[in-house]
Amino acid sequence: MTTKLTKFDDQFKEYAKRNDERINQLNAQLEALTAKKAKTEADIVKAETLENVEQSVKKTIELNETLEVTDRAIGFVQEKIAKIKDEPLLTKTEFRDILSQIETQADTEMDALLAKLKKPVNEIKKIALESRNVQIKADELIQAVYKDLIKKDPWDVMSNFYKDDNGALVVPTKEYRPSSNPYYFYDRIKGNAIAKGLIKE
């Protein structure tokens, strides 16, 4: 099962694209303003060299006013770009909505995956019960060896019967303890499986 959560990746890219478009528009304005500033500064230099002093002063004042407005506009656009780069890409409402949508989609998918576990968990239960039967039968046989075949108490470790040829005590197996047992594995997941309705007790 492929997760449908990947659709949010595309949504996130769309939010980023929307933000980039705003920044690109402002950068275009900034570029135009910077070009205007450079031209105005060049025009001021020319105006200052005019022969007619009155025209020179008048033109220089006008151009300096334009330059001041342009500088303020550049500063304003730069601040706006910096603000957009630092501000969230989502509104508070969008933020809450997107988290809710992610969790809802993830819960739906987790429930579907959990339902798929029902068959394998029941198969594990069946195998575990079979392994339990093997363990019980092995225990019964070991007890029968003691009781019926050697007629000795398995807990009487002082019996000479349990010593080897050198007189060392060899503690016999009193009950079957498998080194690996499917039932132990099942027992670890049983509680959760019952709680999730995957198996019946």
Side-chain angles (χ1 to χ4, degrees):
M1 174 179 163
T2 304
T3 179
K4 292 181 181 175
L5 286 167
T6 53
K7 70 181 180 181
F8 292 103
D9 291 325
D10 294 333
Q11 200 170 337
F12 294 172
K13 285 175 189 168
E14 192 55 42
Y15 288 131
K17 183 182 172 188
R18 182 175 71 184
N19 204 52
D20 288 344
E21 284 170 358
R22 289 172 68 200
I23 291 170
N24 289 340
Q25 287 172 359
L26 288 168
N27 276 329
Q29 288 179 38
L30 186 60
E31 200 175 301
L33 287 166
T34 304
K36 183 179 178 181
K37 178 182 177 179
K39 185 180 182 313
T40 304
E41 287 171 337
D43 288 346
I44 289 171
V45 172
K46 285 180 189 173
E48 288 172 345
T49 61
L50 288 174
E51 293 291 327
N52 186 321
V53 176
E54 191 177 321
Q55 282 183 343
S56 176
V57 170
K58 185 178 176 186
K59 191 70 176 167
T60 303
I61 290 170
E62 286 174 11
L63 290 168
N64 275 315
E65 286 174 359
T66 301
L67 185 62
E68 188 180 339
V69 170
T70 305
D71 275 337
R72 285 184 183 176
I74 287 171
F76 175 76
V77 172
Q78 286 172 333
E79 285 175 18
K80 201 163 184 181
I81 289 170
K83 185 179 176 187
I84 289 171
K85 284 181 177 178
D86 286 341
E87 70 186 9
L89 301 184
L90 304 174
T91 64
K92 284 184 181 181
T93 303
E94 287 172 328
F95 160 71
R96 289 186 184 98
D97 286 348
I98 198 85
L99 289 183
S100 175
Q101 289 169 29
I102 290 168
E103 288 178 339
T104 299
Q105 180 63 41
D107 284 347
T108 299
E109 292 186 25
M110 288 297 188
D111 289 344
L113 290 167
L114 196 60
K116 285 184 175 183
L117 275 178
K118 190 167 190 168
K119 186 176 178 182
V121 168
N122 275 287
E123 189 61 28
I124 290 169
K125 178 183 178 182
K126 182 180 168 189
I127 292 166
L129 293 176
E130 286 176 19
S131 76
R132 191 86 172 118
N133 290 338
V134 169
Q135 183 176 358
I136 289 167
K137 183 61 180 174
D139 269 342
E140 288 172 357
L141 291 170
I142 289 169
Q143 294 310 310
V145 167
Y146 282 103
K147 182 179 175 190
D148 301 330
L149 301 181
I150 66 166
K151 300 178 182 176
K152 301 278 181 195
D153 181 354
W155 301 101
D156 181 13
V157 292
M158 298 312 291
S159 170
N160 285 332
F161 194 81
Y162 300 129
K163 294 180 181 175
D164 66 14
D165 293 341
N166 298 321
L169 177 66
V170 178
V171 179
T173 297
K174 299 175 186 70
E175 54 189 10
Y176 178 61
R177 288 282 176 257
S179 57
S180 58
N181 187 339
Y183 192 86
Y184 296 159
F185 172 77
Y186 166 71
D187 200 44
R188 293 182 73 175
I189 64 169
K190 182 172 76 170
N192 275 335
I194 291 168
K196 296 292 182 186
L198 297 174
I199 56 170
K200 291 179 182 174
E201 199 157 2

